[in-house]
Amino acid sequence: MQITDSTKKSEMLAHTTLCSHPSVKNVLIISDDNSIENEVKRHKNISITSSQSLDAIRDAGDSLFDVVIINNSEINSADKVTFAHLKRITTLYGVIATSASDYYSENSSHKSLLASIGNEFRFSLPFTAENQTFILGSKKFHPTADLLVQKADMLDDLSYYHADIQRASFTLPTAVFKDLAPQIGRAS
């Protein structure tokens, strides 16, 4: 069985965020890929707002979204204002996840994105799905310590994601962790 990169990306971006937050009601998805929205719909009683543009971050109301999922390469060159807006539009316990540049091939871009998220969110942590890289930002919940295992394990018909994959996806080689440690966010 082969699992496509698109499936891995959509499952990891959707379920890693939604299984790290106990009471998601409103989700903003910034992507031109409908598969992420389809994954979010596996979770019940969630209102989804979709956009293809980062402008949705600037235009959204305060404390509106529990989760924001970004699959848009423009985030790699976004300015500080965009990240301040991300913090503003997420609720008190907001969680965000974004696709990110690769640590190994685009090290400075990866570090910059990690630091930008870390400046606004308590946790800013890289995670992977084989050859793909993402970053999770969270105001309160840690994606491994606060993982809602029962919620994760109740999802049916997934191809890639499960609770153990989530835990493992945040594991970094020692040298990489040491190199990224200054950028891993601990915003106050």
Side-chain angles (χ1 to χ4, degrees):
M1 171 193 273
Q2 183 168 351
I3 304 169
T4 66
D5 285 348
S6 176
T7 297
K8 293 172 198 170
K9 179 184 283 189
S10 59
E11 287 187 13
M12 289 300 289
L13 283 170
H15 305 305
T16 300
T17 54
L18 297 172
C19 292
S20 297
H21 191 300
S23 57
V24 177
K25 292 183 178 43
N26 295 300
V27 175
L28 172 62
I29 301 170
I30 300 172
S31 178
D32 58 2
D33 180 356
N34 290 338
S35 63
I36 296 170
E37 185 171 337
N38 292 336
E39 291 301 325
V40 171
K41 288 178 179 177
R42 291 178 185 266
H43 299 260
K44 304 297 182 219
N45 303 316
I46 293 178
S47 174
I48 301 170
T49 302
S50 294
S51 176
Q52 293 183 3
S53 169
L54 290 180
D55 292 340
I57 295 170
R58 295 174 194 256
D59 298 340
D62 294 355
S63 301
L64 189 58
F65 298 104
D66 302 299
V67 168
V68 177
I69 300 169
I70 304 166
N71 181 31
N72 183 315
S73 61
E74 292 175 14
I75 195 71
N76 289 305
S77 59
D79 58 12
K80 290 181 181 182
V81 174
T82 301
F83 297 100
H85 282 299
L86 263 175
K87 181 178 181 180
R88 177 187 59 78
I89 69 169
T90 52
T91 58
L92 182 62
Y93 302 135
V95 176
I96 68 160
T98 182
S99 50
S101 54
D102 179 65
Y103 167 80
Y104 296 102
S105 63
E106 299 177 58
N107 186 277
S108 62
S109 176
H110 183 85
K111 285 181 174 179
S112 177
L113 181 57
L114 189 63
S116 295
I117 293 170
N119 288 336
E120 301 296 339
F121 291 84
R122 179 177 178 200
F123 299 109
S124 176
L125 302 165
F127 65 107
T128 61
E130 295 182 8
N131 63 337
Q132 299 178 84
T133 306
F134 313 99
I135 296 175
L136 182 135
S138 177
K139 291 182 176 179
K140 170 134 175 98
F141 303 111
H142 190 283
T144 58
D146 297 315
L147 170 62
L148 302 165
V149 176
Q150 183 176 3
K151 188 175 185 180
D153 289 345
M154 295 302 287
L155 295 166
D156 292 325
D157 300 321
L158 298 177
S159 297
Y160 186 78
Y161 175 88
H162 59 83
D164 290 335
I165 288 283
Q166 178 163 331
R167 286 186 197 101
S169 72
F170 286 91
T171 303
L172 300 171
T174 301
V176 173
F177 178 79
K178 285 180 179 178
D179 187 45
L180 292 178
Q183 287 79 34
I184 292 178
R186 298 289 186 268
S188 51

